């Protein structure tokens, strides 16, 4: 295992030395999620893949960019899809994503369901658009009818139809029982992300 770790480190460091960024290498033993949560606490963004992404998004306050297993790059200047349900988590994810959205070629705010049935404690999609406008980011609001298709699949289909390079969404769940409450849209997205997804809790 040590030989595999060293070989992987040599490969990664060789690639990082070609980039114009500061970096360092940390090795830690123990619970993967807790170790990562400590490491990313003083970082602007955590880029992860695999099953640890959901737990990390819930346990830490750092935005998490979840990469599909097949991803080999990230296109920051492509179109972006913002998954909007008016929640505090969705609003926080939107705020965290502003630097990325400012460089996106287009921004689509995807809202699933009947906007007239929204509860008073939810922010309408137009509020998200107004917030983005304050940052000089123009967006298109896309209202998606709620059908029989799972919401996460509906969102992925809508994002792909708009050639989105990445998605933005809130992460939902309670830290101490995240395994049992991590259901619905968040679980569906994390099970098999169709594209990079920026998540925040």
């Amino acid at each position: 295992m040590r030989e595999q770790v060293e070989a992987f480190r040599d490969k990664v460091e060789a690639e990082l030395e070609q980039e114009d960024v500061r970096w360092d290498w940390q090795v830690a033993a123990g619970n993967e999620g807790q170790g990562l949560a400590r490491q990313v606490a003083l970082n602007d963004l955590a880029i992860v893949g695999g099953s640890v992404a959901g737990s990390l998004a819930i346990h830490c306050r750092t935005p998490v960019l979840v990469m599909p297993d097949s991803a080999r790059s990230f296109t920051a200047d492509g179109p972006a899809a913002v998954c909007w349900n008016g929640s505090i988590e969705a609003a926080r994810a939107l705020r965290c994503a502003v630097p990325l959205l400012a460089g996106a070629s287009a921004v689509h705010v995807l809202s699933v369901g009947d906007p007239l049935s929204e509860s008073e404690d939810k922010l309408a999609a137009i509020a998200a658009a107004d917030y983005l406008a304050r940052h000089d980011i123009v967006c298109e609001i896309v209202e998606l009818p709620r059908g029989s298709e799972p919401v996460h699949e509906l969102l992925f289909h809508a994002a792909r139809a708009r050639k989105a390079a990445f998605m933005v969404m809130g992460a939902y769940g309670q830290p101490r029982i995240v395994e049992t409450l991590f259901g619905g849209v968040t679980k569906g997205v994390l099970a098999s992300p169709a594209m990079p997804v920026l998540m925040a809790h």
Side-chain angles (χ1 to χ4, degrees):
M1 183 179 289
R2 288 194 188 96
E3 290 176 357
Q4 291 177 341
V5 169
E6 288 303 318
F8 179 70
R9 177 175 180 169
D10 290 344
K11 177 180 180 294
V12 172
E13 288 188 345
E15 293 176 0
L16 288 173
E17 286 171 356
Q18 305 302 314
E19 304 294 335
D20 186 23
V21 293
R22 292 181 60 183
W23 57 273
D24 61 0
W25 185 271
Q26 300 285 337
V27 178
N31 181 281
E32 183 181 27
Q34 291 176 352
L36 280 173
R38 282 194 300 272
Q39 293 297 328
V40 304
L42 288 176
N43 285 276
D44 298 318
L45 179 68
I47 303 174
V48 297
S51 59
V52 72
S55 177
L56 189 62
I58 292 295
H59 281 87
C60 72
R61 291 295 176 259
T62 301
V64 175
L65 182 62
V66 183
M67 298 296 289
D69 291 339
S70 60
R72 295 295 175 266
S73 63
F74 176 72
T75 306
D77 58 355
V82 177
C83 305
W84 186 257
N85 67 356
S87 67
I88 291 174
E89 292 87 352
R92 183 167 190 278
L94 182 68
R95 294 197 316 271
C96 291
V98 163
L100 279 177
L101 297 176
S105 60
V107 177
H108 308 280
V109 177
L110 309 179
S111 178
V112 178
D114 181 3
L116 297 179
S117 66
E118 293 289 338
S119 61
E120 292 184 1
D121 63 336
K122 299 287 186 181
L123 292 166
I126 191 65
D130 288 343
Y131 172 77
L132 290 174
R134 294 201 298 271
H135 292 275
D136 298 320
I137 299 171
V138 177
C139 72
E140 172 200 25
I141 296 175
V142 181
E143 294 176 358
L144 304 168
R146 181 73 176 97
S148 58
E149 186 178 24
V151 173
H152 71 277
E153 291 184 9
L154 181 62
L155 291 169
F156 277 138
H157 290 160
R160 280 194 295 257
R162 288 157 182 81
K163 302 188 185 324
F166 63 95
M167 289 173 58
V168 175
M169 69 176 294
Y172 310 95
Q174 298 297 324
R176 285 186 292 180
I177 49 177
V178 68
E179 291 79 9
T180 57
L181 289 186
F182 233 6
V185 179
T186 305
K187 182 178 180 180
V189 167
L190 291 173
S192 182
M195 61 187 66
V197 182
L198 181 73
M199 305 187 86
H201 177 61

